[in-house]
Amino acid sequence: MRKIPPLFGLTILSLTALAEARPWTDSTGRQVEAEYSGMQGDSVLLKLASGQTVPFPLARLSAEDQAFAKAQASSPAAMPAAATATKPDAARIPLEKRTWPQNVIVPAKAVEIAAISENAADRKYVYQSEAFEFSSQAKLAGSVMKEVARTFEATKFLIESLPWGVQCKPPEGRPRFIAALYETRNDYIAAGGPEMSGGVYSSGDKIFKIPFQSLGMEKRGQTYFKDDNYSNGTLIHEITHQLMDDYLGFLPKWVVEGTAEYTEMLPYKSGTFRADGHKSGIKQDLDEWQQRGFIPDLGSLEKMITMNRDQWDAECETSEKMAAMYHRSQLLVYYFSHLDGDKKGTRFIKFMEAVYGQVAELRAFFADPRVKMMEGGRFSYPRDFPPPDRDPATAPFKNLSILIDERPYPKLAADIIAGYKDIGIKVMVK
């Protein structure tokens, strides 16, 4: 059998390894041998010799393989029995069956707190909830830590409940997402926290860093208490970045910030997001912005949508300009989620599903045994086995055509103006 390059990082398997295995080829010519094991939304399930079943976007396969998969899907008798036993990823439900949630309530089990270790001399106390590990510089009562964890876990549950299809997965090699809690702002800044920030997600070490004050915690005597009147908005914004870390390199900057602004704007209290309150959320945000003198103006639509990272940074040279860019991003994400086309967010959902394909491709690459992880986030791989495209000049824009959908930018600008007009909001777009 001739040697062929692997498809999205999966190890080459022998044809005899799987009884019904066949070669599958992606749009770049890379191949893998696997067994058809059903469909999940717009992805085909490929079963490997190891027994692992991996979803891969149908649209990224060759025309021949797409036709084969569609034929298999339309013929129940031809579908392997194993396919019916495959438990689908909850985020990969068919696109046409995804709906926008109403109240999103974090499960009580997710915020059960376990104290893992306590070391007063090192000022290190480690606590765990279902999906997060918290390293604190001071000992926290279980009830206080539970209140902190509730916002983190609720945000994760919200993001996975939205029809964007985001699958929140901790960094490779870690069972949980990591958050570091600092007792003072000086401690926070010494750990790398920006001086003017209330908290930050560091994509370099994959750690969310935040001082106690930004968690609404204050010291009374020798004990820290949670201030129930504290706003969690900025916290939710940064948690969203942490939970979507795998996606950030495949999204235009306006989507990165717009999705975080979207989750931040939703009404939230004590572990419950009013996801169906998105319209009141966007209007309240606009009212607050207009009181501060901000005019809902997206400027040049084409420039905003196609802006690369360097251009974004240039536009955010002051805190005021950065805030305006964040709000423009929020307006775009809200439009594509609720006002575009059928007003069900169909184009945006399809766009995010295509981005998930890029994420799945990269995850499969790092799961391949030929890829060796090293210190500092570096990794090595065989020369003939390159990683998927992560070039910031190209990777974030590969799926923009799904959103634009052949509309000239003046037409899209008119659609955005009309969409917001329908809900009583005036925006300006060029």
Side-chain angles (χ1 to χ4, degrees):
M1 179 178 174
R2 68 184 176 89
K3 185 176 181 181
I4 50 180
L7 169 64
F8 60 90
L10 297 177
T11 307
I12 296 297
L13 306 174
S14 167
L15 272 174
T16 60
L18 294 172
E20 300 179 36
R22 66 185 295 277
W24 297 79
T25 307
D26 75 356
S27 55
T28 66
R30 294 182 296 179
Q31 290 187 334
V32 69
E33 290 171 12
E35 179 183 354
Y36 173 83
S37 191
M39 299 291 296
Q40 281 185 8
D42 290 340
S43 296
V44 60
L45 297 172
L46 301 181
K47 184 179 180 182
L48 310 182
S50 64
Q52 180 185 13
T53 300
V54 179
F56 191 77
L58 184 66
R60 297 173 73 88
L61 290 171
S62 67
E64 178 183 354
D65 288 337
Q66 289 187 43
F68 176 83
K70 290 176 182 178
Q72 294 295 305
S74 64
S75 175
M79 187 177 294
T84 60
T86 301
K87 183 179 180 180
D89 174 6
R92 303 269 69 77
I93 61 176
L95 271 64
E96 66 275 8
K97 294 185 179 180
R98 296 184 191 177
T99 58
W100 293 89
Q102 296 182 349
N103 284 355
V104 178
I105 305 172
V106 64
K109 181 181 178 181
V111 293
E112 292 177 357
I113 300 300
I116 304 303
S117 64
E118 298 180 338
N119 189 321
D122 293 339
R123 298 177 69 202
K124 187 171 183 178
Y125 301 80
V126 180
Y127 307 94
Q128 289 180 353
S129 59
E130 184 176 68
F132 290 86
E133 179 173 291
F134 303 90
S135 177
S136 172
Q137 288 188 325
K139 184 175 181 178
L140 302 176
S143 58
V144 174
M145 191 63 248
K146 186 173 183 177
E147 284 301 313
V148 172
R150 195 188 307 277
T151 304
F152 283 78
E153 293 285 354
T155 304
K156 177 178 181 292
F157 195 59
L158 168 69
I159 292 172
E160 293 185 329
S161 298
L162 294 171
W164 297 341
V166 173
Q167 181 190 59
C168 302
K169 183 180 178 182
E172 191 69 31
R174 293 180 183 173
R176 289 176 172 81
F177 297 97
I178 305 296
L181 317 181
Y182 298 95
E183 191 169 12
T184 70
R185 284 199 58 81
N186 287 338
D187 290 324
Y188 167 69
I189 293 171
E195 290 194 18
M196 299 302 292
S197 68
V200 65
Y201 171 63
S202 172
S203 59
D205 55 18
K206 312 294 184 185
I207 297 176
F208 185 105
K209 301 173 183 179
I210 190 166
F212 280 12
Q213 293 78 9
S214 294
L215 291 166
M217 294 166 56
E218 58 181 6
K219 195 171 186 179
R220 305 172 192 167
Q222 298 301 312
T223 306
Y224 279 93
F225 292 86
K226 190 77 165 60
D227 183 354
D228 292 335
N229 295 320
Y230 183 77
S231 171
N232 291 284
T234 301
L235 179 59
I236 292 168
H237 181 111
E238 293 297 330
I239 296 172
T240 299
H241 287 330
Q242 180 177 31
L243 294 169
M244 292 180 62
D245 180 79
D246 282 355
Y247 294 74
L248 303 185
F250 300 117
L251 294 170
K253 189 67 174 179
W254 66 267
V255 181
V256 171
E257 298 301 340
T259 49
E261 289 288 299
Y262 181 95
T263 58
E264 179 182 339
M265 80 174 185
L266 296 177
Y268 170 80
K269 184 177 181 180
S270 303
T272 298
F273 280 95
R274 279 286 314 281
D276 60 352
H278 57 81
K279 186 183 293 187
S280 62
I282 190 72
K283 288 185 174 182
Q284 180 177 338
D285 276 10
L286 278 170
D287 287 343
E288 293 175 357
W289 275 85
Q290 288 174 334
Q291 289 173 12
R292 294 162 56 184
F294 175 81
I295 299 174
D297 184 355
L298 289 172
S300 170
L301 184 61
E302 182 173 7
K303 178 182 177 181
M304 185 71 188
I305 287 182
T306 62
M307 190 177 295
N308 62 34
R309 296 299 201 268
D310 290 340
Q311 292 168 331
W312 176 277
D313 291 342
E315 291 288 332
C316 297
E317 59 184 357
T318 67
S319 58
E320 292 79 10
K321 289 183 177 181
M322 179 182 293
M325 291 294 287
Y326 278 33
H327 196 56
R328 288 175 176 177
S329 300
Q330 178 187 19
L331 289 172
L332 281 176
V333 168
Y334 187 86
Y335 168 77
F336 282 113
S337 292
H338 297 290
L339 305 176
D340 186 32
D342 59 6
K343 303 189 186 303
K344 297 179 181 179
T346 298
R347 288 191 183 99
F348 193 66
I349 292 169
K350 288 181 178 179
F351 165 77
M352 291 298 292
E353 186 68 8
V355 171
Y356 171 78
Q358 294 174 278
V359 172
E361 191 174 352
L362 188 64
R363 287 175 176 172
F365 171 81
F366 282 114
D368 192 286
R370 290 169 291 179
V371 178
K372 307 299 182 184
M373 299 303 299
M374 298 180 290
E375 292 183 3
R378 296 178 300 119
F379 58 94
S380 64
Y381 52 88
R383 182 170 297 180
D384 62 349
F385 180 39
D389 179 21
R390 295 197 297 170
D391 186 338
T394 57
F397 306 103
K398 280 189 173 180
N399 301 300
L400 268 184
S401 59
I402 298 174
L403 282 179
I404 307 305
D405 199 13
E406 300 184 351
R407 289 175 288 183
Y409 278 99
K411 164 62 175 167
L412 180 56
D415 288 347
I416 292 174
I417 292 171
Y420 272 107
K421 183 178 180 180
D422 285 345
I423 61 171
I425 295 175
K426 181 180 180 180
V427 298
M428 299 172 63
V429 191
K430 295 180 182 177

